[in-house]
Amino acid sequence: MPHPERRLKELGLTLPEVVPPVATYVPAVRSGDHVHVSGQVPLREGRLIAAGRLGDTVGVELAYDCARQCALNALAALKAEIGDLAAVARVVKALVFVASTADFTSLPQVGDGASALLCEIFGEAGRHARSAVGVSALPLNSPVELELLVEIRRPVSG
């Protein structure tokens, strides 16, 4: 597996600061060999990069970019929890929420923004199970929200 932080640099990306929670929860929780990353919205430098719903005011291309930003924010929360992204054994599951009108059905194409980035960064270990769910609204009027479940390597005991 390529070193994730090296891959980020090669892609011209940097991890943002961890987005502070907007309510009573923590950005990530480790339980055994897994880390659950709380839902991340597409905040960049403290501001949503888009607001609204798909099928109304936000297009698929912009929402794809939002999903990529959600993935970067999720990785920032993950790194803060585990210290080094090289400890990731695999991305297990991504759950993508898309704020959309009732007739919007291109949910998978939006989720691909996050999924493609995770594969670019982690290689085969970035391939994951995924669900994409349409909802009527998301926090802060975000068009996309992403949760991750990640498996972490056990330290080699000596």
Side-chain angles (χ1 to χ4, degrees):
M1 175 174 78
H3 191 286
E5 297 193 42
R6 189 174 317 123
R7 281 296 297 143
L8 281 164
K9 279 187 180 175
E10 290 169 2
L11 295 168
L13 300 170
T14 56
L15 288 182
E17 294 294 318
V18 176
V19 174
V22 297
T24 309
Y25 60 90
V26 294
V29 171
R30 185 171 183 162
S31 179
D33 294 337
H34 291 86
V35 176
H36 296 262
V37 180
S38 294
Q40 300 292 314
V41 296
L43 288 168
R44 185 182 296 148
E45 298 176 2
R47 300 184 65 189
L48 282 177
I49 60 174
R53 296 187 310 159
L54 279 288
D56 186 16
T57 59
V58 178
V60 172
E61 188 174 310
L62 179 55
Y64 180 98
D65 291 340
C66 287
R68 281 179 69 89
Q69 184 66 45
C70 291
L72 285 172
N73 293 345
L75 293 177
L78 176 63
K79 182 178 178 181
E81 182 65 27
I82 66 172
D84 185 352
L85 293 179
V88 171
R90 87 165 295 129
V91 179
V92 177
K93 174 85 188 245
L95 177 55
V96 182
F97 297 97
V98 180
S100 61
T101 58
D103 61 342
F104 182 81
T105 59
S106 296
L107 305 166
Q109 290 77 10
V110 173
D112 281 348
S115 294
L117 182 63
L118 294 167
C119 290
E120 288 178 73
I121 293 169
F122 294 105
E124 189 62 26
R127 292 176 50 86
H128 53 272
R130 186 183 81 195
S131 299
V133 179
V135 297
S136 62
L138 288 168
L140 307 176
N141 197 27
S142 173
V144 182
E145 183 173 355
L146 171 72
E147 279 184 24
L148 288 181
L149 174 60
V150 178
E151 181 183 359
I152 306 303
R153 284 189 183 81
R154 289 181 181 218
V156 177
S157 55

